């Protein structure tokens, strides 16, 4: 691949990531949420209560990030932490009733953002996009793993 093509690909990915994050930041602000917190709430809604360490893996973020997000969401009344059965050092995170209601609002925002992002993209291309993006992410992760 020559530099011009490489630059076009990398700049497009960078620009999309920046604009997507800015847009979700603006959409989440009225709900009192910050980027990343919505992913934690959605993961709990998908899977049910989860030990913080597993939540970290599911979200592909470092454990201290999950701890900080969980503390903030707990202070806001959206999640609660309870001791893990059989392991006093671990905490299980679960949605509260208010957190479950908030998840429904987050899902609406999430759908709207996807629709905005995919405006003008043919349905067939949109259907293929998640797999393509997972492949790209996997390629970057695999490379990072070999160098790390």
């Amino acid at each position: 691949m020559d530099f011009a093509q490489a630059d076009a690909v990398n700049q497009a990915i960078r620009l999309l990531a920046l604009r997507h994050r800015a847009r979700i930041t603006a959409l989440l602000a009225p709900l009192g949420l910050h980027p990343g917190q919505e992913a934690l709430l959605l993961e709990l809604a998908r899977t049910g209560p989860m030990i913080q360490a597993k939540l970290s893996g599911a979200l592909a973020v470092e454990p201290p990030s999950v701890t900080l997000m969980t503390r903030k969401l707990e202070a806001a009344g959206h999640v609660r932490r309870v001791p893990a059965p059989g392991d006093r050092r671990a905490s299980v995170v679960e949605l509260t009733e208010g957190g479950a209601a908030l998840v429904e609002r987050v899902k609406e925002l999430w759908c709207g953002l996807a629709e905005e992002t995919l405006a003008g993209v043919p349905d067939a291309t949109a259907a293929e996009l998640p797999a393509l993006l997972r492949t790209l992410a996997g390629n970057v992760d695999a490379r990072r793993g070999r160098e790390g």
Side-chain angles (χ1 to χ4, degrees):
M1 176 178 305
D2 67 13
F3 176 77
Q5 185 179 9
D7 189 46
V9 168
N10 290 319
Q11 290 293 348
I13 292 170
R14 185 185 72 79
L15 205 56
L16 174 59
L18 289 170
R19 290 183 177 164
H20 191 271
R21 183 165 178 92
R23 185 67 180 126
I24 195 62
T25 299
L27 291 170
L28 292 172
L31 301 180
L33 296 174
H34 297 281
Q37 292 176 330
E38 86 287 2
L40 189 149
L41 293 171
L42 289 168
E43 185 64 26
L44 290 175
R46 264 191 292 277
T47 64
M50 188 180 297
I51 292 175
Q52 277 187 222
K54 287 188 178 180
L55 195 50
S56 173
L59 298 173
V61 297
E62 296 296 322
S65 297
V66 170
T67 300
L68 182 60
M69 282 191 284
T70 301
R71 284 183 185 152
K72 289 181 178 182
L73 290 169
E74 185 176 38
H78 303 311
V79 301
R80 73 177 134 262
R81 290 181 292 170
V82 296
D87 186 352
R88 293 183 194 171
R89 296 169 298 162
S91 294
V92 174
V93 183
E94 59 189 19
L95 289 173
T96 62
E97 189 174 311
L102 182 59
V103 164
E104 294 310 310
R105 294 178 66 196
V106 168
K107 285 180 178 180
E108 291 171 13
L109 292 178
W110 216 230
C111 288
L113 178 58
E115 289 171 3
E116 285 177 26
T117 304
L118 294 172
V121 174
D123 289 345
T125 302
E128 294 173 1
L129 193 57
L132 173 61
L133 294 173
R134 280 191 299 275
T135 298
L136 297 178
N139 291 345
V140 172
D141 285 345
R143 183 70 181 178
R144 186 179 64 198
R146 288 192 300 265
E147 294 173 351

